[in-house]
Amino acid sequence: MSRFLYIIYILGTMTMLSLTSDGASAQSIAGRYGGVQDGICIFDNGRYFLYGYATFAPGTYHVEKDRIRFVPDKPANTFMVFARENKDLHDSVRMCFNGFERGETFLQLDNGKTRRVFNEGANCFNPPYVYEGAAVPSQITFSHVTDDYGVLKTDKNTEVYRPGKKLNDFVFLYQKPSRYQQPFVGVITKEDDVTLLQTSLTSRKFPKDPDDKEIEEMKAQLGNGEEKAEDVLYANRFYKLLTDIDTSEYVYDPGAGQYTAHGTKPGEQAEEYTDVRILYKYELVMPVSKDFRKPEKTNLPSVFFTSCEDPEKSYRYKPLDKPSTPPDRPLPTTTAPVIIK
């Protein structure tokens, strides 16, 4: 018997609370199960999210007899491409890769050879990872190999993008598929007057927080489940990425796509990775096609090389090697993006 089926069998033999599919049941099971570090928040509107270290996985659920069936939201695309026109680059191109160290990923520019983004056995990562080329590609193709779990295999591991001619400054995000994006089952039990949630994801039992005052606030932030992919990213010149900014703290130049914080002197630039006084807006580019491709075997070097055993040859973004001086004023308020691992 597989581990998954065995856990379902164990769940089925436990003494469970009576659940039905009506609204009263959803109201009665709503709450936070778990602690500060990990757990599941269930809301009375049919939504939930699973949280943990570097993990935030929202979705929907429904009650089916004595079980709760959880169905995670899945991102529309495995890769996300954001781009802008950077007139300072002229005919050259710059590409920032974020999250690609989490999996086995491949890149093809135009009709060239497919290359690994990172070398085999890559470790000791030190972002940002920024590729610079002499010419802007008319086509960008990404592919990846998922972990060898049957539920994670996909028939479409490749996405093709054809950005506009003027777009020459890119930010790429890789949203590696994980087991938290697969449906799972849960049951609610009671032991010594403590309400517990156990799921097929783990053998642990998560106790319900009897006095969770933040549950309504979290419910409002989660929304109603409609897919709302971020369509804009912001970054400083060192590619510190942000999904949201307080625009009242900036002056926007639409021609340059640049946000400048109030009080910034003319000619000033970001001096370090965390300096967000000057930000650039990157807009979402959608793929033109998806298919399955078996990665080609190639002797070409990877786009980036990094190894703990060879730090001298490992990649580092050169602009960050320059000495930096902290700004003499408070930095504007920003929000960093969340990447599901």
Side-chain angles (χ1 to χ4, degrees), residues 183-197:
F184 60 97
V185 177
V187 294
I188 292 180
T189 64
K190 253 194 174 180
E191 296 180 9
D192 299 326
D193 293 327
V194 177
T195 301
L196 304 168
L197 171 65

Side-chain angles (χ1 to χ4, degrees), residues 29-36 38-43 49 51 207-219:
I29 66 175
R32 183 170 75 170
Y33 297 80
V36 175
D38 61 352
I40 299 178
C41 288
I42 300 177
F43 306 98
F49 68 77
Y51 64 95
K208 184 177 183 180
D209 189 335
D211 186 28
D212 190 356
K213 298 178 181 179
E214 299 178 350
I215 194 71
E216 287 301 318
E217 180 181 347
M218 291 186 289
K219 174 183 174 182

Side-chain angles (χ1 to χ4, degrees), residues 29-31 33 39-51 56-62 68-74 179-185 197 199 201 215 218-219 222-225:
I29 66 175
Y33 297 80
I40 299 178
C41 288
I42 300 177
F43 306 98
D44 58 12
N45 63 351
R47 295 286 288 158
Y48 79 92
F49 68 77
L50 181 149
Y51 64 95
F56 176 81
T60 59
Y61 74 90
H62 68 273
I68 308 170
R69 297 201 175 271
F70 296 92
V71 181
D73 297 342
K74 287 190 176 182
R179 65 192 183 102
Y180 300 119
Q181 294 175 1
Q182 304 301 318
F184 60 97
V185 177
L197 171 65
T199 74
L201 286 174
I215 194 71
M218 291 186 289
K219 174 183 174 182
L222 187 60
N224 59 10

Side-chain angles (χ1 to χ4, degrees), residues 224-253:
N224 59 10
E226 296 179 358
E227 179 118 14
K228 293 182 179 179
E230 297 290 344
D231 57 4
V232 173
L233 275 184
Y234 306 90
N236 66 3
R237 71 187 184 102
F238 300 120
Y239 291 97
K240 176 177 174 58
L241 304 181
L242 310 164
T243 57
D244 190 26
I245 63 173
D246 184 351
T247 55
S248 67
E249 297 184 2
Y250 292 85
V251 175
Y252 180 56
D253 179 354

